[in-house]
Amino acid sequence: MTVALMWEARAVAGRGEELLAWTREQELAERPLRRETFSAPQDRVLVITWWDAAYDAVLPELPEPGGELVTRAVHRWRFESVSTAD
């Protein structure tokens, strides 16, 4: 089964590039199958990691950045892949 972990944070106004750089510097204890980083308006950064694991597996996640860098707590979601009926 493939599980995707999504991590999204909103930087303090004007500090989006700094938050983006911070996320890129973060190493995980294990290497995911795939990791992608996205940016969006309002200085938001999204990181998605894919894992070959059960939905409720204990998996390494990105930490919370320092409070001076973000406007709110990080949002986190977990999804599992589903088969498509073609």
Side-chain angles (χ1 to χ4, degrees):
M1 168 183 303
T2 302
V3 175
L5 302 183
M6 296 177 64
W7 178 102
E8 186 265 340
R10 184 172 178 185
V12 171
R15 296 185 71 185
E17 288 298 319
E18 188 177 344
L19 178 60
L20 183 60
W22 181 91
T23 60
R24 288 179 171 158
E25 293 169 359
Q26 302 308 301
E27 295 290 330
L28 297 171
E30 297 174 44
R31 186 180 175 118
L33 296 172
R34 183 171 157 193
R35 176 176 171 167
E36 285 192 62
T37 304
F38 303 85
S39 63
Q42 300 177 332
D43 295 309
R44 290 178 294 144
V45 175
L46 171 70
V47 179
I48 304 173
T49 56
W50 285 263
W51 303 87
D52 182 17
Y55 182 82
D56 58 354
V58 176
L59 298 168
E61 296 192 48
L62 292 174
E64 294 274 337
E68 72 286 347
L69 187 56
V70 294
T71 61
R72 57 169 167 72
V74 168
H75 291 175
R76 300 171 191 271
W77 300 275
R78 185 176 285 226
F79 296 90
E80 64 183 343
S81 62
V82 294
S83 61
T84 57
D86 293 331

